[in-house]
Amino acid sequence: MSTPQLLMIEDDARLAQMVSEYLTQSGFAVSHAGDGASGLAQLQERAPDLVILDLMLPDTDGLDVCRRIRALPGPLAKVPVLMLTAKGDPMDRIIGLELGADDYLPKPFEPRELLARIRAVLRRRAEASAPAAASAHSVMRFGSLEIDRDARSVTVAGQGAELTSYQFDLLVTMAERAGRVLTRDQIMEAVRGRELEAFDRSIDVHMGRIRAAIEVDPKNPKRILTVRGVGYVFAKQQD
């Protein structure tokens, strides 16, 4: 089994060294970049399994780096991104998720929590890449919407829809339970992500991104519906 490769883009050299040593002891190989430009260069030279991305960098901000990663060609655009944000600034987290970050962790943080979140993201990726038991049932169709679980791809009327790995897992979770109302806690548990923090709106942000990718009119969704005060439901009957 190969050692998971992590790229940490962080300008705090002391923090980066501490985290790198901890993650190395936990079975990861960690490379470090002190600014956005060198981080992007390293990523394109050798694609990591996950990027740990600080929001505040000396040459740019993490939001711009995340945006540029998602604009890269091919598999590079789908590299999972875990963003480090300033504690108490939910807007940065929301924007990061909207740009395609898979998760976020406020500073200061416990290395053990960072490790747990990294493992959760990589576990979801590994499970999603495992061969399906019944390949013939890997594609779900709802009108013009097609979700291919094996290929991890989504198309609407034949056009590809861009989703992060986490957003794809959320969509599959909803589609497999079409017609059932799910709470935010149930959705998070189903994708084996982290537990919800109090007043955490990350699911809502991800759902907004999914709607933007698969709905004809995201402001008037027909596929993923909000059940006020409860959660969400994936509509059985669609276009």
Side-chain angles (χ1 to χ4, degrees):
M1 182 176 178
S2 61
T3 301
Q5 305 291 315
L6 308 179
L7 170 60
M8 185 171 191
I9 306 177
E10 165 66 62
D11 66 326
D12 186 332
R14 181 179 178 185
L15 174 63
Q17 181 178 359
M18 178 192 71
V19 170
S20 296
E21 290 176 354
Y22 180 81
L23 293 177
T24 298
Q25 292 172 1
S26 301
F28 295 90
V30 185
S31 57
H32 171 240
D35 56 63
S38 57
L40 286 166
Q42 285 193 41
L43 184 146
Q44 293 177 78
E45 181 177 339
R46 182 179 182 183
D49 294 296
L50 181 141
V51 174
I52 304 168
L53 176 61
D54 186 30
L55 187 65
M56 303 298 293
L57 297 168
D59 57 339
T60 183
D61 61 70
L63 297 177
D64 182 60
V65 174
C66 184
R67 184 185 298 109
R68 292 169 67 181
I69 290 174
R70 294 296 174 238
L72 289 171
L76 289 175
K78 298 184 181 297
V79 172
V81 174
L82 192 158
M83 185 170 286
L84 304 179
T85 68
K87 188 174 181 62
D89 196 347
M91 186 54 64
D92 284 338
R93 304 175 199 173
I94 290 172
I95 294 173
L97 292 171
E98 288 179 338
L99 290 174
D102 292 86
D103 198 0
Y104 63 83
L105 183 61
K107 287 183 175 182
F109 56 84
E110 287 288 335
R112 286 179 298 178
E113 182 176 5
L114 174 63
L115 176 61
R117 296 200 183 193
I118 290 171
R119 284 175 171 168
V121 172
L122 294 180
R123 181 176 62 245
R124 290 196 298 269
R125 174 64 64 90
E127 289 173 349
S129 300
S135 165
H137 301 290
S138 68
V139 179
M140 295 182 286
R141 295 181 175 86
F142 303 88
S144 62
L145 172 66
E146 290 192 1
I147 305 169
D148 188 330
R149 284 171 286 197
D150 282 357
R152 292 187 64 78
S153 65
V154 179
T155 60
V156 180
Q159 300 296 315
E162 292 297 325
L163 297 173
T164 67
S165 176
Y166 189 57
Q167 289 159 9
F168 179 85
D169 292 338
L170 287 174
L171 178 58
V172 169
T173 295
M174 297 291 293
E176 289 176 339
R177 297 160 179 78
R180 288 176 50 189
V181 177
L182 301 175
T183 66
R184 292 173 177 81
D185 288 336
Q186 288 172 326
I187 296 169
M188 293 291 280
E189 182 179 355
V191 295
R192 299 183 183 181
R194 61 187 177 78
E195 295 181 357
L196 282 171
E197 299 172 359
F199 309 112
D200 190 351
R201 305 286 293 180
S202 66
I203 282 290
D204 299 326
V205 174
H206 282 302
M207 289 299 177
R209 293 288 295 177
I210 295 170
R211 282 171 169 162
I214 70 172
E215 298 279 4
V216 175
D217 181 1
K219 293 184 179 179
N220 296 286
K222 303 297 183 184
R223 306 179 191 280
I224 297 179
L225 309 178
T226 300
V227 180
R228 191 174 298 277
V230 182
Y232 295 93
V233 60
F234 187 91
K236 284 186 175 180
Q237 300 298 324
Q238 301 181 11
D239 53 17

